[in-house]
Amino acid sequence: DAEITQSPRHKITETGRQVTLACHQTWNHNNMFWYRQDLGHGLRLIHYSYGVQDTNKGEVSDGYSVSRSNTEDLPLTLESAASSQTSVYFCASSEAGPGELFFGEGSRLTVL
Amino acid sequence: QKEVEQNSGPLSVPEGAIASLNCTYSDRGSQSFFWYRQYSGKSPELIMFIYSNGDKEDGRFTAQLNKASQYVSLLIRDSQPSDSATYLCAPLPQRGKFQFGAGTQVVVTP
């Protein structure tokens, strides 16, 4: 069965360190998204991609970067982790046309 | 103003009663909407998609879309403890860029 997987599921890091969260989907979806979820804020869009070599900033992109070198993967990098980036991160994907958004299981990141 | 607004709750509903959730949106071009359910500690899952004015029913769930008034609602009939979750509303995006409301937390009390 097609799926979308995130790793690691839990990560504790220190302020200033670089962190990469992986997202891999086997749906062959063109669209991929990264969201963060914090209490009281719902899901906020960080970055998204409509295909290989395409990346776009979402509403809370500062301090984050993504790259899309193939259809299956959209890794999210925190260049210099800050305590404000402690959150639960969800990766999601959808077909190019209008359609459902499929979510990964989430990655809980704690920055100390 | 956010594109999608939801009352964060918590909405406390007695078991067996009807839970009524609302979602208002600012983009008059929005034609269709998704309702996602998210259990605590889990990822969101799709429970309903509505694309036309009026009601759409699926089991105990009914979605209602009113484009003139720019709101979409979700009714949960015969609420069960297993319905306790956060419900997220999202318009179908023009180019796949999903933007969600903050979500309404529903708590079904025995």
Side-chain angles (χ1 to χ4, degrees):
Chain A
D1 287 344
E3 60 182 2
I4 179 167
T5 56
Q6 294 182 230
S7 63
R9 296 290 312 279
H10 301 273
K11 173 79 175 178
I12 299 174
T13 190
E14 296 177 343
T15 301
R17 291 192 179 267
Q18 183 182 79
V19 176
T20 296
L21 305 180
C23 176
H24 179 82
Q25 53 99 2
T26 58
W27 293 97
N28 200 34
H29 286 161
N30 285 324
N31 300 340
M32 295 186 72
F33 307 84
W34 274 104
Y35 294 88
R36 61 177 289 175
Q37 188 172 39
D38 307 285
L39 197 63
H41 289 280
L43 287 162
R44 291 185 290 175
L45 184 61
I46 305 171
H47 281 287
Y48 58 102
S49 169
Y50 291 137
V52 176
Q53 302 301 328
D54 176 75
T55 60
N56 306 279
K57 294 181 178 180
E59 59 181 311
V60 289
S61 61
D62 287 349
Y64 304 94
S65 64
V66 294
S67 61
R68 188 89 180 269
S69 59
N70 58 52
T71 300
E72 296 80 17
D73 299 290
L74 186 70
L76 177 70
T77 297
L78 288 68
E79 299 294 342
S80 177
S83 58
S84 60
Q85 295 177 307
T86 292
S87 186
V88 178
Y89 291 86
F90 287 101
C91 179
S93 70
S94 70
E95 294 180 341
E100 178 184 355
L101 196 61
F102 294 85
F103 284 88
E105 294 295 313
S107 295
R108 181 176 294 276
L109 176 67
T110 301
V111 182
L112 301 176
Chain B
Q1 181 188 4
K2 292 192 69 175
E3 290 187 22
V4 180
E5 299 276 0
Q6 292 183 258
N7 188 332
S8 62
L11 177 66
S12 183
V13 180
E15 185 173 354
I18 297 175
S20 178
L21 292 72
N22 291 317
C23 172
T24 59
Y25 58 95
S26 58
D27 183 3
R28 285 195 172 273
S30 296
Q31 298 293 313
S32 311
F33 290 84
F34 295 94
W35 279 100
Y36 281 80
R37 176 178 62 198
Q38 185 178 23
Y39 291 115
S40 181
K42 301 295 185 181
S43 56
E45 57 179 342
L46 181 68
I47 57 170
M48 189 74 91
F49 174 60
I50 184 166
Y51 54 88
S52 60
N53 267 335
D55 297 357
K56 180 181 178 181
E57 188 174 315
D58 184 359
R60 296 185 295 108
F61 296 94
T62 299
Q64 299 173 321
L65 176 58
N66 185 319
K67 294 181 183 179
S69 300
Q70 295 181 242
Y71 77 83
V72 56
S73 61
L74 181 70
L75 301 178
I76 308 174
R77 292 184 303 281
D78 188 24
S79 295
Q80 301 297 310
S82 60
D83 296 324
S84 296
T86 296
Y87 291 81
L88 302 161
C89 166
L92 178 67
Q94 298 281 342
R95 278 200 69 195
K97 180 184 164 185
F98 281 79
Q99 300 270 24
F100 289 86
T104 298
Q105 183 188 5
V106 172
V107 178
V108 180
T109 56

